[in-house]
Amino acid sequence: MHDPINKELTVPLTAAEAFALFTDEIDSWWPKAKHSVRGADSKVTFADHKDGEIIETAADGSQEVWGKIIAYDPGKYLAFSWHPGRPAEEATVVTVSFTQKEDGTLCELTHGGFDILGDTADAVSTSYLHGWDFVLGCYAGAVRKLVMA
């Protein structure tokens, strides 16, 4: 059994703003050059409802589904299956909560369910352990730009 990955950061935004940046504005901060299926010129969209999809669209119009929204509570919580570049049957699960605090919003990301990947679970979970640090660093960079604007 593989333990889930847990990451957190506090951002100087309201919970509603932090949530909207993470979802509605994902294409503005997601590091597509390093963490995508279709490359840096693609566009990432995050559905705004349960059962919607996270989709990467390449410049030529081809699409890759990264996951499906399991729970969507704006400004508070989301959960989604996660399988960029893999079949939906190999999806892991990511949850992100947004908790309003005195000094901003605590964003807590948990990524688990790696056992579904069988023999590759160790390698994939190790890759995401470091990958989420990079991705959340890009999110934090977008927060800084937003606050300074």
Side-chain angles (χ1 to χ4, degrees):
M1 185 107 174
H2 294 83
D3 290 335
I5 295 167
N6 296 297
K7 302 289 181 179
E8 64 179 51
L9 73 154
T10 299
V11 296
L13 301 173
T14 67
E17 291 168 335
F19 184 97
L21 181 63
F22 195 94
T23 58
D24 300 342
E25 301 298 323
I26 192 168
D27 189 63
S28 72
W29 60 267
W30 189 270
K32 294 175 287 193
K34 290 187 176 194
H35 293 281
S36 70
V37 178
R38 305 285 179 175
D41 294 332
S42 63
K43 179 171 176 55
V44 179
T45 55
F46 202 110
D48 63 355
H49 56 88
K50 185 179 178 209
D51 295 327
E53 295 176 321
I54 305 163
I55 298 173
E56 179 184 4
T57 304
D60 67 4
S62 61
Q63 294 186 325
E64 180 76 28
V65 175
W66 287 6
K68 188 172 185 177
I69 312 301
I70 299 166
Y72 191 89
D73 189 359
K76 296 179 183 167
Y77 179 81
L78 37 108
F80 45 92
S81 65
W82 189 247
H83 57 90
R86 290 192 317 272
E89 299 77 39
E90 295 180 11
T92 54
V93 176
V94 177
T95 62
V96 189
S97 64
F98 300 83
T99 306
Q100 189 70 56
K101 300 286 186 184
E102 213 173 281
D103 60 342
T105 297
L106 174 62
C107 304
E108 297 174 284
L109 181 143
T110 301
H111 187 176
F114 293 104
D115 289 335
I116 198 165
L117 301 173
D119 293 344
T120 63
D122 284 338
V124 173
S125 65
T126 299
S127 169
Y128 276 113
L129 183 64
H130 304 292
W132 281 120
D133 288 334
F134 182 74
V135 168
L136 292 175
C138 293
Y139 175 74
V143 168
R144 283 190 295 278
K145 285 181 188 173
L146 188 63
V147 170
M148 296 177 94

